[in-house]
Coordinates of all heavy atoms in Angstrom, one line a residue:
M1 N 27.4 18.4 14.9 CA 26.8 17.8 16.0 C 27.1 16.3 16.0 O 27.2 15.6 15.0 CB 25.2 17.9 15.9 CG 24.5 17.3 17.0 SD 22.7 17.7 17.0 CE 22.1 16.5 15.9
S2 N 27.3 15.8 17.2 CA 27.7 14.4 17.4 C 26.4 13.5 17.1 O 25.3 14.0 17.1 CB 28.2 14.1 18.8 OG 27.2 14.4 19.7
S3 N 26.7 12.3 16.8 CA 25.6 11.4 16.4 C 24.6 11.1 17.6 O 25.0 11.2 18.8 CB 26.1 10.1 15.9 OG 26.8 9.4 16.9
I4 N 23.4 10.8 17.3 CA 22.4 10.5 18.3 C 22.5 9.0 18.6 O 22.5 8.2 17.7 CB 21.0 10.9 17.8 CG1 21.0 12.4 17.6 CG2 19.9 10.5 18.8 CD1 19.7 12.9 16.9
Q5 N 22.6 8.7 19.9 CA 22.8 7.3 20.3 C 21.7 7.0 21.3 O 21.0 7.9 21.9 CB 24.1 7.2 21.1 CG 25.3 7.5 20.2 CD 25.5 6.6 19.1 OE1 25.3 5.4 19.2 NE2 25.9 7.1 17.9
P6 N 21.4 5.7 21.6 CA 20.4 5.3 22.6 C 20.6 6.0 24.0 O 19.7 6.2 24.7 CB 20.5 3.8 22.6 CG 21.0 3.4 21.3 CD 22.0 4.5 20.9
Q7 N 21.9 6.3 24.3 CA 22.1 6.9 25.6 C 22.0 8.4 25.6 O 22.1 9.1 26.7 CB 23.5 6.5 26.1 CG 24.7 7.0 25.3 CD 25.1 6.0 24.2 OE1 24.3 5.2 23.8 NE2 26.3 6.1 23.7
S8 N 21.7 9.0 24.5 CA 21.5 10.4 24.4 C 20.2 10.8 25.2 O 19.2 10.1 25.2 CB 21.3 10.9 22.9 OG 22.4 10.6 22.1
V9 N 20.3 12.0 25.8 CA 19.2 12.6 26.6 C 18.8 13.9 25.9 O 19.7 14.7 25.6 CB 19.6 12.8 28.0 CG1 18.4 13.4 28.8 CG2 20.0 11.4 28.6
F10 N 17.5 14.2 25.8 CA 17.0 15.4 25.2 C 16.0 16.1 26.1 O 15.4 15.5 27.0 CB 16.3 15.1 23.9 CG 17.2 14.4 22.9 CD1 17.2 13.0 22.8 CD2 18.1 15.1 22.1 CE1 18.1 12.4 21.9 CE2 19.0 14.5 21.3 CZ 19.0 13.1 21.2
A11 N 15.9 17.4 25.9 CA 14.8 18.2 26.6 C 14.2 19.1 25.5 O 14.8 19.4 24.5 CB 15.5 19.0 27.7
M12 N 13.0 19.6 25.8 CA 12.4 20.6 25.0 C 13.3 21.9 25.0 O 13.9 22.2 26.0 CB 11.0 21.0 25.5 CG 10.1 19.8 25.4 SD 9.7 19.1 23.8 CE 8.6 20.3 23.2
H13 N 13.5 22.5 23.9 CA 14.3 23.7 23.8 C 13.5 24.8 24.6 O 12.3 24.8 24.7 CB 14.4 24.2 22.4 CG 15.4 25.2 22.2 ND1 15.2 26.5 22.5 CD2 16.7 25.1 21.7 CE1 16.3 27.2 22.2 NE2 17.2 26.4 21.8
P14 N 14.3 25.6 25.4 CA 13.6 26.6 26.3 C 12.7 27.6 25.5 O 11.8 28.2 26.1 CB 14.8 27.3 27.0 CG 16.0 26.7 26.5 CD 15.7 25.6 25.5
S15 N 12.9 27.8 24.3 CA 12.1 28.8 23.5 C 10.9 28.1 22.8 O 10.3 28.7 21.9 CB 13.0 29.5 22.5 OG 13.3 28.6 21.4
V16 N 10.5 26.9 23.3 CA 9.4 26.2 22.7 C 8.3 26.0 23.7 O 8.5 25.7 24.8 CB 9.9 24.8 22.2 CG1 8.8 23.9 21.8 CG2 10.9 24.9 21.0
S17 N 7.1 26.2 23.2 CA 5.9 26.0 24.0 C 5.2 24.8 23.3 O 5.0 24.7 22.1 CB 5.0 27.2 23.9 OG 3.8 26.9 24.6
Y18 N 4.9 23.8 24.1 CA 4.4 22.5 23.6 C 3.0 22.2 24.3 O 2.9 22.3 25.5 CB 5.4 21.4 24.0 CG 4.9 20.0 23.9 CD1 4.7 19.3 22.7 CD2 4.5 19.3 25.1 CE1 4.3 18.0 22.7 CE2 4.0 18.0 25.1 CZ 3.9 17.4 23.9 OH 3.4 16.1 23.9
Q19 N 2.0 21.9 23.5 CA 0.7 21.6 24.0 C 0.1 20.4 23.3 O -0.2 20.5 22.1 CB -0.2 22.8 23.9 CG -1.6 22.7 24.5 CD -1.5 22.5 26.0 OE1 -0.8 23.3 26.7 NE2 -2.3 21.6 26.5
P20 N -0.2 19.3 24.0 CA -1.0 18.2 23.4 C -2.3 18.8 22.9 O -2.9 19.6 23.6 CB -1.1 17.2 24.5 CG -0.1 17.5 25.5 CD 0.1 19.0 25.4
A21 N -2.8 18.3 21.8 CA -4.0 18.7 21.2 C -4.7 17.6 20.4 O -4.1 17.2 19.3 CB -3.8 20.0 20.3
G22 N -5.8 17.0 20.9 CA -6.4 16.0 20.1 C -5.5 14.8 20.0 O -5.0 14.2 20.9
D23 N -5.3 14.3 18.7 CA -4.5 13.2 18.4 C -3.1 13.6 18.1 O -2.4 12.9 17.4 CB -5.1 12.4 17.3 CG -6.4 11.6 17.7 OD1 -6.5 11.4 18.9 OD2 -7.2 11.3 16.8
G24 N -2.6 14.7 18.6 CA -1.3 15.2 18.3 C -0.9 16.2 19.2 O -1.2 16.2 20.4
A25 N -0.1 17.2 18.7 CA 0.3 18.3 19.6 C 0.6 19.5 18.7 O 0.7 19.4 17.5 CB 1.6 17.9 20.3
V26 N 0.6 20.7 19.4 CA 0.9 21.9 18.7 C 2.2 22.4 19.4 O 2.3 22.4 20.6 CB -0.2 23.0 18.9 CG1 0.2 24.3 18.3 CG2 -1.5 22.4 18.2
I27 N 3.1 22.9 18.6 CA 4.4 23.4 19.1 C 4.6 24.8 18.6 O 4.5 25.0 17.4 CB 5.6 22.4 18.7 CG1 5.3 21.0 19.2 CG2 6.9 23.0 19.2 CD1 6.2 20.0 18.5
L28 N 4.9 25.7 19.5 CA 5.2 27.1 19.1 C 6.7 27.4 19.4 O 7.1 27.2 20.6 CB 4.3 28.0 19.8 CG 4.6 29.5 19.6 CD1 4.4 29.9 18.2 CD2 3.8 30.4 20.6
R29 N 7.4 27.7 18.4 CA 8.8 28.2 18.7 C 8.7 29.7 18.9 O 8.5 30.5 18.0 CB 9.7 27.9 17.4 CG 11.1 27.9 17.7 CD 12.0 27.3 16.6 NE 11.7 28.0 15.4 CZ 12.0 27.5 14.2 NH1 12.5 26.4 14.1 NH2 11.7 28.2 13.1
V30 N 8.7 30.0 20.2 CA 8.5 31.4 20.6 C 9.5 32.4 20.0 O 9.1 33.6 19.7 CB 8.5 31.5 22.2 CG1 8.2 32.9 22.6 CG2 7.4 30.5 22.7
S31 N 10.7 32.0 19.8 CA 11.7 32.9 19.3 C 11.4 33.6 18.0 O 11.7 34.7 17.7 CB 13.1 32.2 19.2 OG 12.9 31.1 18.3
D32 N 10.6 32.9 17.1 CA 10.2 33.4 15.8 C 8.8 33.2 15.4 O 8.4 33.6 14.3 CB 11.2 32.9 14.7 CG 11.0 31.4 14.5 OD1 10.2 30.7 15.2 OD2 11.8 30.8 13.7
G33 N 8.0 32.7 16.3 CA 6.6 32.5 16.1 C 6.2 31.3 15.2 O 5.1 31.2 14.8
Q34 N 7.2 30.5 14.8 CA 7.0 29.3 14.0 C 6.1 28.3 14.7 O 6.3 28.0 15.8 CB 8.3 28.7 13.6 CG 8.1 27.5 12.7 CD 7.6 27.8 11.3 OE1 8.1 28.8 10.7 NE2 6.7 27.1 10.8
L35 N 5.0 27.9 14.1 CA 4.0 27.0 14.6 C 4.1 25.7 13.9 O 4.2 25.6 12.7 CB 2.6 27.6 14.5 CG 1.5 26.8 15.2 CD1 1.7 26.9 16.7 CD2 0.1 27.4 14.8
Y36 N 4.2 24.6 14.7 CA 4.2 23.2 14.2 C 3.1 22.4 14.7 O 2.6 22.6 15.8 CB 5.5 22.5 14.6 CG 6.8 23.2 14.2 CD1 7.4 24.2 14.9 CD2 7.4 22.8 13.0 CE1 8.6 24.8 14.5 CE2 8.6 23.4 12.6 CZ 9.1 24.4 13.3 OH 10.3 25.0 12.9
T37 N 2.6 21.5 14.0 CA 1.7 20.4 14.5 C 2.4 19.1 14.3 O 3.2 18.9 13.4 CB 0.4 20.4 13.7 OG1 0.6 20.2 12.3 CG2 -0.4 21.8 13.9
C38 N 2.1 18.2 15.2 CA 2.7 16.9 15.0 C 1.6 15.8 15.3 O 0.6 16.0 16.0 CB 3.9 16.7 15.9 SG 3.6 16.9 17.7
N39 N 1.8 14.6 14.7 CA 0.9 13.5 14.8 C 1.0 12.8 16.2 O 1.8 13.2 17.0 CB 1.1 12.6 13.7 CG 2.4 11.9 13.7 OD1 3.1 11.8 14.7 ND2 2.8 11.4 12.5
A40 N 0.2 11.9 16.4 CA 0.1 11.2 17.7 C 1.4 10.5 18.0 O 1.8 10.5 19.2 CB -1.0 10.2 17.7
T41 N 2.1 9.9 17.1 CA 3.4 9.3 17.3 C 4.4 10.2 17.8 O 5.1 10.0 18.8 CB 3.9 8.6 16.0 OG1 2.9 7.7 15.6 CG2 5.1 7.8 16.3
S42 N 4.5 11.4 17.1 CA 5.5 12.4 17.6 C 5.1 13.0 18.9 O 6.0 13.2 19.8 CB 5.5 13.5 16.5 OG 6.0 13.1 15.3
E43 N 3.8 13.2 19.1 CA 3.4 13.7 20.4 C 3.7 12.7 21.5 O 4.1 13.1 22.6 CB 1.9 13.9 20.4 CG 1.3 14.7 21.6 CD 1.0 13.8 22.8 OE1 0.6 12.7 22.6 OE2 1.2 14.3 23.9
T44 N 3.5 11.4 21.3 CA 3.9 10.4 22.3 C 5.3 10.5 22.6 O 5.7 10.4 23.8 CB 3.4 9.0 21.8 OG1 2.0 9.0 21.6 CG2 3.8 8.0 22.9
F45 N 6.2 10.6 21.6 CA 7.6 10.7 21.9 C 7.9 11.9 22.7 O 8.6 11.9 23.7 CB 8.4 10.7 20.5 CG 9.8 11.1 20.7 CD1 10.7 10.4 21.5 CD2 10.3 12.2 20.0 CE1 12.1 10.8 21.6 CE2 11.7 12.6 20.1 CZ 12.5 11.9 20.9
L46 N 7.4 13.1 22.3 CA 7.7 14.3 23.0 C 7.2 14.3 24.4 O 7.8 14.9 25.3 CB 7.1 15.5 22.3 CG 7.7 15.9 21.0 CD1 7.0 17.0 20.2 CD2 9.2 16.3 21.2
S47 N 6.1 13.6 24.7 CA 5.5 13.5 26.0 C 6.4 12.7 27.0 O 6.3 12.9 28.2 CB 4.1 12.9 26.0 OG 4.2 11.5 25.8
H48 N 7.4 11.9 26.4 CA 8.3 11.1 27.2 C 9.7 11.9 27.4 O 10.5 11.5 28.2 CB 8.5 9.8 26.6 CG 7.4 8.8 26.8 ND1 6.2 8.9 26.1 CD2 7.3 7.8 27.6 CE1 5.4 7.9 26.5 NE2 6.0 7.3 27.4
V49 N 9.9 12.9 26.6 CA 11.1 13.7 26.7 C 11.1 14.6 27.9 O 10.2 15.4 28.0 CB 11.3 14.5 25.4 CG1 12.5 15.5 25.6 CG2 11.6 13.6 24.2
D50 N 12.0 14.3 28.9 CA 11.9 15.1 30.1 C 13.3 15.6 30.6 O 13.4 16.1 31.7 CB 11.3 14.2 31.2 CG 12.1 13.0 31.6 OD1 13.2 12.8 31.0 OD2 11.6 12.2 32.4
G51 N 14.3 15.5 29.7 CA 15.6 15.9 30.1 C 16.4 15.0 31.0 O 17.5 15.3 31.4
T52 N 15.8 13.8 31.4 CA 16.5 12.9 32.2 C 16.6 11.5 31.6 O 17.5 10.7 31.9 CB 15.9 12.8 33.6 OG1 14.6 12.3 33.5 CG2 15.9 14.2 34.3
R53 N 15.6 11.1 30.8 CA 15.5 9.8 30.3 C 16.2 9.7 29.0 O 16.2 10.6 28.2 CB 14.0 9.4 30.0 CG 13.2 9.5 31.3 CD 11.8 9.1 31.2 NE 11.7 7.7 30.8 CZ 10.8 7.2 30.0 NH1 9.9 8.0 29.4 NH2 10.8 5.9 29.7
T54 N 16.9 8.6 28.8 CA 17.6 8.4 27.5 C 16.7 8.0 26.4 O 15.6 7.5 26.6 CB 18.7 7.2 27.7 OG1 18.0 6.0 27.9 CG2 19.6 7.5 28.8
L55 N 17.2 8.2 25.2 CA 16.4 7.8 24.0 C 16.1 6.3 24.0 O 15.0 5.9 23.7 CB 17.2 8.2 22.8 CG 16.5 8.0 21.5 CD1 15.5 9.1 21.2 CD2 17.4 7.9 20.3
G56 N 17.1 5.5 24.5 CA 16.9 4.1 24.6 C 15.7 3.7 25.6 O 15.0 2.8 25.3
A57 N 15.7 4.4 26.7 CA 14.6 4.1 27.7 C 13.3 4.5 27.1 O 12.3 3.8 27.3 CB 14.9 4.9 29.0
I58 N 13.2 5.6 26.4 CA 12.0 6.0 25.8 C 11.5 5.0 24.7 O 10.4 4.6 24.6 CB 12.1 7.5 25.2 CG1 12.3 8.5 26.3 CG2 10.9 7.8 24.4 CD1 12.6 9.9 25.8
A59 N 12.5 4.6 23.9 CA 12.2 3.6 22.9 C 11.6 2.3 23.5 O 10.7 1.7 23.0 CB 13.5 3.3 22.1
A60 N 12.2 1.9 24.6 CA 11.8 0.6 25.2 C 10.3 0.8 25.7 O 9.5 -0.1 25.5 CB 12.7 0.3 26.4
D61 N 10.0 2.0 26.3 CA 8.6 2.2 26.7 C 7.6 2.2 25.5 O 6.6 1.7 25.6 CB 8.5 3.5 27.5 CG 9.1 3.5 28.9 OD1 9.4 2.3 29.3 OD2 9.2 4.5 29.5
L62 N 8.1 2.9 24.5 CA 7.2 3.0 23.3 C 7.0 1.7 22.5 O 6.0 1.5 21.9 CB 7.6 4.1 22.4 CG 7.6 5.5 23.0 CD1 8.0 6.6 22.0 CD2 6.3 5.9 23.6
C63 N 8.0 0.8 22.6 CA 7.9 -0.5 22.0 C 6.6 -1.2 22.5 O 5.9 -1.9 21.7 CB 9.1 -1.4 22.3 SG 10.5 -1.0 21.2
E64 N 6.4 -1.2 23.8 CA 5.3 -1.8 24.4 C 4.0 -1.2 23.9 O 3.0 -1.9 23.6 CB 5.3 -1.8 25.9 CG 6.5 -2.6 26.4 CD 6.6 -2.5 28.0 OE1 5.6 -2.2 28.6 OE2 7.7 -2.7 28.5
E65 N 4.0 0.1 23.8 CA 2.8 0.9 23.4 C 2.4 0.7 22.0 O 1.2 0.5 21.6 CB 2.9 2.4 23.7 CG 1.7 3.2 23.5 CD 1.8 4.6 24.0 OE1 2.7 4.9 24.9 OE2 1.1 5.4 23.5
F66 N 3.4 0.6 21.1 CA 3.2 0.5 19.7 C 3.4 -0.9 19.1 O 3.3 -1.1 17.9 CB 4.1 1.5 18.9 CG 3.6 2.9 19.1 CD1 4.2 3.7 20.1 CD2 2.6 3.5 18.4 CE1 3.8 5.1 20.2 CE2 2.2 4.8 18.6 CZ 2.8 5.6 19.5
D67 N 3.8 -1.9 19.9 CA 4.0 -3.2 19.5 C 5.0 -3.3 18.3 O 4.6 -3.8 17.3 CB 2.7 -3.9 19.2 CG 2.9 -5.4 19.1 OD1 3.8 -6.0 19.7 OD2 2.1 -6.0 18.3
I68 N 6.2 -2.8 18.6 CA 7.2 -2.8 17.5 C 8.5 -3.2 18.2 O 8.7 -3.0 19.4 CB 7.3 -1.4 16.9 CG1 8.2 -1.3 15.7 CG2 7.7 -0.3 17.9 CD1 8.1 0.0 14.9
D69 N 9.5 -3.7 17.4 CA 10.7 -4.2 17.9 C 11.6 -3.0 18.3 O 11.5 -1.9 17.8 CB 11.5 -5.1 16.9 CG 11.9 -4.4 15.7 OD1 11.1 -4.3 14.8 OD2 13.1 -3.9 15.7
I70 N 12.5 -3.2 19.2 CA 13.4 -2.2 19.8 C 14.3 -1.5 18.8 O 14.4 -0.3 18.8 CB 14.2 -2.6 21.0 CG1 14.8 -1.5 21.8 CG2 15.2 -3.7 20.6 CD1 13.9 -0.6 22.5
K71 N 14.8 -2.2 17.9 CA 15.7 -1.7 16.9 C 15.0 -0.7 15.9 O 15.4 0.4 15.7 CB 16.4 -2.7 16.0 CG 17.3 -2.1 15.0 CD 18.1 -3.1 14.2 CE 19.0 -2.5 13.1 NZ 18.9 -1.1 12.8
T72 N 13.8 -1.1 15.5 CA 13.0 -0.2 14.6 C 12.6 1.0 15.3 O 12.7 2.1 14.8 CB 11.8 -1.0 14.1 OG1 12.2 -2.1 13.3 CG2 10.9 -0.1 13.2
M73 N 12.1 0.8 16.6 CA 11.7 2.0 17.4 C 12.8 3.0 17.6 O 12.7 4.2 17.5 CB 11.1 1.5 18.7 CG 10.6 2.7 19.6 SD 9.4 3.8 18.8 CE 7.9 2.7 18.9
T74 N 14.0 2.4 18.0 CA 15.2 3.3 18.3 C 15.6 4.0 17.0 O 15.8 5.2 17.0 CB 16.3 2.4 18.8 OG1 15.9 1.8 20.0 CG2 17.5 3.3 19.1
D75 N 15.6 3.3 15.9 CA 16.0 4.0 14.6 C 15.0 5.1 14.3 O 15.4 6.2 13.9 CB 16.1 3.0 13.5 CG 17.2 2.0 13.6 OD1 18.1 2.2 14.4 OD2 17.2 1.0 12.9
D76 N 13.7 4.8 14.5 CA 12.7 5.8 14.2 C 12.9 7.0 15.1 O 12.7 8.2 14.6 CB 11.3 5.2 14.3 CG 11.0 4.3 13.2 OD1 11.7 4.2 12.2 OD2 9.9 3.6 13.3
L77 N 13.1 6.8 16.4 CA 13.3 7.9 17.3 C 14.5 8.7 17.1 O 14.5 9.9 17.3 CB 13.2 7.4 18.8 CG 11.9 6.8 19.2 CD1 11.9 6.5 20.7 CD2 10.7 7.8 18.9
V78 N 15.6 8.1 16.6 CA 16.8 8.8 16.3 C 16.5 9.8 15.1 O 16.9 11.0 15.2 CB 17.9 7.8 15.9 CG1 19.1 8.6 15.2 CG2 18.5 7.1 17.1
D79 N 15.8 9.3 14.1 CA 15.4 10.2 13.0 C 14.5 11.3 13.5 O 14.7 12.5 13.1 CB 14.7 9.4 11.9 CG 15.6 8.4 11.2 OD1 16.9 8.6 11.3 OD2 15.1 7.5 10.6
L80 N 13.5 11.0 14.3 CA 12.6 12.0 14.8 C 13.3 13.0 15.7 O 13.1 14.2 15.5 CB 11.5 11.3 15.6 CG 10.3 12.1 15.9 CD1 9.6 12.7 14.7 CD2 9.3 11.2 16.7
A81 N 14.2 12.6 16.6 CA 15.0 13.5 17.4 C 15.8 14.4 16.6 O 15.9 15.6 16.8 CB 15.8 12.7 18.4
R82 N 16.5 13.9 15.5 CA 17.3 14.7 14.6 C 16.5 15.8 14.0 O 16.9 16.9 13.9 CB 18.0 13.8 13.6 CG 18.9 14.6 12.7 CD 19.7 13.6 11.7 NE 20.6 12.7 12.5 CZ 20.5 11.4 12.6 NH1 19.5 10.8 12.0 NH2 21.3 10.7 13.3
E83 N 15.3 15.4 13.5 CA 14.4 16.4 12.9 C 14.0 17.5 13.9 O 14.0 18.7 13.6 CB 13.1 15.8 12.4 CG 13.3 14.9 11.1 CD 12.0 14.3 10.7 OE1 11.0 14.9 10.8 OE2 12.1 13.1 10.2
F84 N 13.7 17.1 15.1 CA 13.3 18.1 16.1 C 14.5 19.0 16.6 O 14.3 20.1 16.8 CB 12.7 17.4 17.4 CG 11.3 16.9 17.2 CD1 10.9 15.7 17.7 CD2 10.3 17.7 16.5 CE1 9.5 15.3 17.5 CE2 9.0 17.3 16.3 CZ 8.6 16.0 16.9
I85 N 15.6 18.4 16.6 CA 16.8 19.3 16.9 C 17.1 20.3 15.8 O 17.3 21.4 16.0 CB 18.1 18.4 17.1 CG1 17.9 17.6 18.4 CG2 19.3 19.2 17.1 CD1 19.0 16.5 18.6
D86 N 17.0 19.8 14.5 CA 17.2 20.7 13.4 C 16.2 21.8 13.3 O 16.5 22.9 12.9 CB 17.1 19.9 12.1 CG 18.3 19.0 11.8 OD1 19.3 19.1 12.6 OD2 18.2 18.1 10.9
E87 N 15.0 21.6 13.8 CA 13.9 22.6 13.8 C 14.0 23.5 15.1 O 13.2 24.4 15.2 CB 12.5 21.9 13.7 CG 12.3 21.3 12.4 CD 12.3 22.3 11.2 OE1 11.9 23.5 11.5 OE2 12.6 21.9 10.1
G88 N 14.9 23.2 16.0 CA 15.0 23.9 17.2 C 13.9 23.6 18.3 O 13.6 24.4 19.2
I89 N 13.4 22.4 18.2 CA 12.3 22.0 19.1 C 12.9 21.3 20.3 O 12.5 21.5 21.5 CB 11.3 21.2 18.4 CG1 10.5 22.1 17.4 CG2 10.3 20.5 19.4 CD1 9.7 21.3 16.4
L90 N 13.9 20.4 20.0 CA 14.6 19.7 21.1 C 16.0 20.2 21.2 O 16.6 20.7 20.2 CB 14.6 18.2 20.8 CG 13.4 17.4 21.0 CD1 13.6 15.9 20.7 CD2 12.7 17.6 22.3
R91 N 16.6 20.0 22.4 CA 18.1 20.2 22.6 C 18.6 19.0 23.3 O 18.0 18.3 24.0 CB 18.3 21.5 23.3 CG 17.8 21.5 24.7 CD 18.1 22.7 25.5 NE 17.6 22.7 26.8 CZ 18.1 22.1 27.9 NH1 19.3 21.4 27.7 NH2 17.5 22.1 29.1
R92 N 19.9 18.8 23.0 CA 20.6 17.7 23.7 C 21.0 18.1 25.1 O 21.4 19.2 25.3 CB 21.8 17.2 22.9 CG 22.5 16.0 23.5 CD 23.8 15.7 22.7 NE 23.6 15.6 21.3 CZ 23.5 14.4 20.7 NH1 23.6 13.3 21.4 NH2 23.4 14.3 19.4
V93 N 20.8 17.2 26.1 CA 21.2 17.5 27.5 C 22.5 16.8 27.6 O 22.7 15.6 27.4 CB 20.2 16.9 28.5 CG1 20.7 17.1 29.9 CG2 18.8 17.6 28.3
E94 N 23.5 17.6 28.1 CA 24.9 17.0 28.2 C 25.1 16.5 29.6 O 24.5 16.8 30.5 CB 25.9 18.1 28.0 CG 25.8 18.7 26.6 CD 26.0 17.6 25.4 OE1 26.8 16.7 25.6 OE2 25.4 17.8 24.4

């Protein structure tokens, strides 16, 4: 897989059901019934993933919300996106 860059765009994988719940979210990978929970930070990231916005644009929005610098936020989102891709929760939009 190519590296994740600020211009990368992601969408929820079609076999995933995502539901915000309390201070986080519940994610069901329908293909095999795997259930995940995520914290408020991950849920906030996923709520911004829409298949059209770049990772950099999402990072810029979240910097304001979490009061963190853009480089740190982008690096954190790259790591988070990589984990979600590896788990089959996100897919890269070409």
Side-chain angles (χ1 to χ4, degrees):
M1 178 169 85
S2 61
S3 66
I4 297 172
Q5 301 294 322
Q7 64 271 20
S8 299
V9 176
F10 302 97
M12 296 298 282
H13 195 280
S15 70
V16 168
S17 175
Y18 162 81
Q19 183 65 45
D23 289 336
V26 177
I27 302 165
L28 174 64
R29 197 169 57 201
V30 178
S31 60
D32 63 3
Q34 181 69 42
L35 188 65
Y36 299 87
T37 59
C38 60
N39 63 22
T41 304
S42 297
E43 190 277 326
T44 301
F45 169 58
L46 290 174
S47 72
H48 285 77
V49 171
D50 64 5
T52 63
R53 301 181 66 216
T54 66
L55 186 78
I58 293 170
D61 284 350
L62 296 185
C63 279
E64 294 178 23
E65 186 169 339
F66 289 98
D67 193 28
I68 189 170
D69 67 274
I70 189 71
K71 180 176 179 350
T72 301
M73 179 59 74
T74 302
D75 291 347
D76 288 351
L77 293 185
V78 165
D79 291 341
L80 193 55
R82 185 173 292 114
E83 288 177 35
F84 283 141
I85 288 170
D86 290 347
E87 292 296 331
I89 295 169
L90 288 183
R91 65 178 176 83
R92 187 185 302 262
V93 175
E94 299 301 325

